[in-house]
Amino acid sequence: MRIVVARCIVDYQGKLSAHLPEARRLLMMKADGSVLVHADGGSYKPLNWMSPPCWLTEEPPVDQESGELTSEAMIWVVTNKAGETLRITVLDIEHDSSHELGTDPGLVKDGVEAHLQELLSQRLDALGQGWSLVRREYPTAIGPVDILARDGRGQAVAIEIKRRGEIDGVEQLTRYLELLNRDSTIAPVRGIFAAQAIKPQARVLATDRGIDCVVLDYDELRGMDDVSARLF
Amino acid sequence: MRIVVARCIVDYQGKLSAHLPEARRLLMMKADGSVLVHADGGSYKPLNWMSPPCWLTEEPPVDQESGELTSEAMIWVVTNKAGETLRITVLDIEHDSSHELGTDPGLVKDGVEAHLQELLSQRLDALGQGWSLVRREYPTAIGPVDILARDGRGQAVAIEIKRRGEIDGVEQLTRYLELLNRDSTIAPVRGIFAAQAIKPQARVLATDRGIDCVVLDYDELRGMDDVSARLF
DNA sequence: CTGTTCATCTCGTAA
DNA sequence: TTACGAGGTGAACAG
């Protein structure tokens, strides 16, 4: 990885056009050819970048009109297969170093949506007494339903789980319910939209369609003994 | 901005748990307190990070069990208001430098959805003869429709514009049409789904619902003289 | 290979 | 401040 701190001008031409006026920035060239342009603020997203696979070439600092050499140190041009280009005009370099990092062993995660699904499928009693799991990832023609269960009265229930409950999730569950209710062997099927947090508009849409909303508490699901409130 | 290249172990505890085993990585500390941990590959997303506002403190390298100093150089602890923490155990430092970058003038973009909407509203003649704009961002109870227009026969048309036409865009337009068609002053309203590219499944769903699909050509809309083909 | 879904999404913008 | 939608979304996973 090569790290450069320099005054620079950056132009991206591709899916859109983007231009960065002259300023001092951090330029990161990774081993896979990708390039990142970072400012001293903002979050993890670079101001501008080129994703791999891509290739970096260096253009001589020739003025496009006069054809003469300019005072600029160099122009880096990064291109990918789709023809998108990132042009970095480097005006002066404050720091330049290269480092051998090797391949990274990678990130280990815990607590994503898959875990919520696993937990809830094991704790259907959190939804009410007598609930039973039919199966996780219950297949339909348009994709798998997160959980198919039966409630205390034996009626089929399709459960869609999200970390954050937004309108898209309600649409998704609606499509599943429409399909499942055509299947006479399990119809009628009702829906539950379960998430760690549910946006108001998503709740309104769900309610309008007769879908129940449930807010999941990760810690409560994880705790084996204490489920503070039955939902049904 | 401080740039450090070092062997390190990283642990994040917050919205989820994440762990990075020991390896050599680039650590970026920005002026706003945010920290990024980058490997020499992957795209622009860091392996691990903490977004601002947050604060970095340094812990002495004390072993948690024995209470004695360990051989580790130091532990950086980054915390935010929500109590999420990023702990970086720095084992040895290969590079360490600080740079004054100043505030960045920022990015200038061109070619996003807003431009498409602006262009199309000015070039409704690209859809057919005699079309007229009612208004952009036509308000409904569930949000504004991108464009409301009238076609050559005076019928109302709701146009939803996306850069990439996917299934949720069709769902969105469907909801608008349902609402608009309850309004007797403008009903019947038909729909047009306009995008630079439309995914096959989105096209199927749109067609099934009687919504016309239009592929927008950015350059063609921008050009004043030449509209190669009328769409209706 | 395409298509779909998740994300510590990030980021803008409007109410 | 919060809520919502777009993104050069990226990244993982299934078909």
Side-chain angles (χ1 to χ4, degrees):
Chain A
M1 180 187 291
R2 183 174 171 196
I3 304 164
V4 174
V5 177
R7 274 197 310 126
C8 61
I9 299 166
V10 185
D11 282 276
Y12 165 77
Q13 289 286 338
K15 288 154 199 153
L16 54 69
S17 302
H19 172 76
L20 283 169
E22 182 185 326
R24 196 176 302 277
R25 303 188 178 93
L26 170 68
L27 310 173
M28 231 166 111
M29 283 95 120
K30 294 192 174 188
D32 56 12
S34 59
V35 177
L36 283 62
V37 181
H38 268 280
D40 203 352
S43 193
Y44 69 63
K45 196 174 174 182
L47 292 167
N48 227 324
W49 73 94
M50 184 65 77
S51 303
C54 60
W55 304 269
L56 186 138
T57 57
E58 205 163 307
E59 278 187 10
V62 174
D63 187 282
Q64 303 230 335
E65 290 182 19
S66 68
E68 292 171 11
L69 288 178
T70 67
S71 60
E72 294 157 3
M74 62 190 97
I75 300 175
W76 291 332
V77 181
V78 195
T79 315
N80 69 5
K81 207 166 185 175
E84 301 172 16
T85 58
L86 186 73
R87 297 173 62 88
I88 306 175
T89 303
V90 181
L91 298 167
D92 61 57
I93 293 177
E94 179 179 320
H95 170 89
D96 189 345
S97 64
S98 293
H99 308 270
E100 200 61 47
L101 301 187
T103 56
D104 201 277
L107 192 65
V108 184
K109 284 188 185 183
D110 177 40
V112 289
E113 185 189 301
H115 292 97
L116 280 177
Q117 188 191 119
E118 191 180 342
L119 281 169
L120 185 60
S121 66
Q122 292 167 354
R123 297 295 314 283
L124 284 174
D125 56 314
L127 298 178
Q129 288 188 335
W131 284 54
S132 62
L133 178 68
V134 176
R135 73 165 288 184
R136 289 167 58 187
E137 302 288 348
Y138 183 91
T140 77
I142 55 171
V145 179
D146 285 340
I147 291 178
L148 190 70
R150 289 196 182 275
D151 64 18
R153 297 190 306 275
Q155 189 190 342
V157 187
I159 307 174
E160 176 65 33
I161 299 172
K162 293 280 178 221
R163 245 179 26 84
R164 298 183 310 174
E166 297 177 22
I167 215 157
D168 282 10
V170 180
E171 297 286 14
Q172 195 179 346
L173 178 54
T174 304
R175 291 195 295 271
Y176 289 142
L177 286 170
E178 196 184 328
L179 234 75
L180 291 170
N181 275 308
R182 291 181 196 168
D183 179 353
S184 58
T185 62
I186 57 167
V189 183
R190 65 190 181 97
I192 288 185
F193 189 55
Q196 286 181 298
I198 297 179
K199 296 267 170 90
Q201 290 213 357
R203 186 180 290 273
V204 168
L205 184 63
T207 306
D208 183 60
R209 294 182 177 172
I211 294 168
D212 290 313
C213 291
V214 169
V215 175
L216 300 175
D217 187 305
Y218 192 77
D219 293 327
E220 193 174 282
L221 283 173
R222 208 161 30 190
M224 297 303 282
D225 312 310
D226 173 36
V227 177
S228 59
R230 299 259 181 240
L231 297 155
F232 299 102
Chain B
M1 180 187 289
R2 184 175 171 196
I3 304 164
V4 174
V5 177
R7 275 198 308 127
C8 61
I9 298 165
V10 185
D11 281 277
Y12 165 77
Q13 288 286 338
K15 289 153 198 151
L16 54 67
S17 302
H19 172 74
L20 282 170
E22 181 185 326
R24 196 176 302 277
R25 303 187 177 93
L26 170 68
L27 309 173
M28 228 165 114
M29 285 95 120
K30 293 192 173 187
D32 55 11
S34 59
V35 177
L36 282 62
V37 181
H38 267 279
D40 202 354
S43 193
Y44 67 63
K45 195 174 176 182
L47 292 167
N48 225 323
W49 72 95
M50 183 66 78
S51 302
C54 60
W55 304 270
L56 186 138
T57 57
E58 205 162 309
E59 278 186 12
V62 174
D63 186 281
Q64 302 229 336
E65 291 182 18
S66 68
E68 291 171 11
L69 287 179
T70 67
S71 60
E72 293 156 3
M74 62 190 95
I75 300 176
W76 291 332
V77 181
V78 195
T79 316
N80 69 4
K81 207 167 184 176
E84 301 171 15
T85 58
L86 185 73
R87 298 173 62 88
I88 306 175
T89 303
V90 181
L91 298 167
D92 60 58
I93 292 177
E94 179 179 319
H95 170 89
D96 188 345
S97 65
S98 293
H99 307 270
E100 200 61 49
L101 300 187
T103 55
D104 201 278
L107 193 65
V108 183
K109 280 189 188 182
D110 179 38
V112 290
E113 184 189 305
H115 293 260
L116 283 175
Q117 188 192 118
E118 191 181 342
L119 281 170
L120 185 60
S121 67
Q122 292 167 355
R123 297 295 313 281
L124 285 174
D125 58 313
L127 299 178
Q129 290 190 333
W131 285 55
S132 62
L133 179 67
V134 176
R135 73 164 286 184
R136 289 168 58 186
E137 302 288 347
Y138 183 91
T140 77
I142 54 171
V145 179
D146 285 340
I147 290 178
L148 190 70
R150 289 195 182 276
D151 64 19
R153 298 189 306 275
Q155 188 190 344
V157 187
I159 308 174
E160 177 65 34
I161 299 172
K162 295 279 180 221
R163 237 177 34 78
R164 300 182 309 173
E166 296 176 20
I167 213 159
D168 55 345
V170 180
E171 297 284 16
Q172 196 180 342
L173 179 54
T174 304
R175 292 194 297 272
Y176 289 142
L177 287 170
E178 195 184 327
L179 234 76
L180 291 170
N181 274 308
R182 292 181 196 168
D183 180 353
S184 58
T185 62
I186 55 167
V189 183
R190 66 190 179 97
I192 288 184
F193 189 54
Q196 285 181 296
I198 297 177
K199 295 255 172 106
Q201 293 215 351
R203 185 180 291 272
V204 168
L205 184 64
T207 305
D208 183 60
R209 294 181 178 172
I211 293 168
D212 290 313
C213 290
V214 170
V215 174
L216 299 175
D217 186 304
Y218 193 78
D219 294 325
E220 192 174 284
L221 282 173
R222 209 160 30 190
M224 297 303 282
D225 312 309
D226 172 36
V227 178
S228 58
R230 300 261 180 239
L231 297 155
F232 300 102

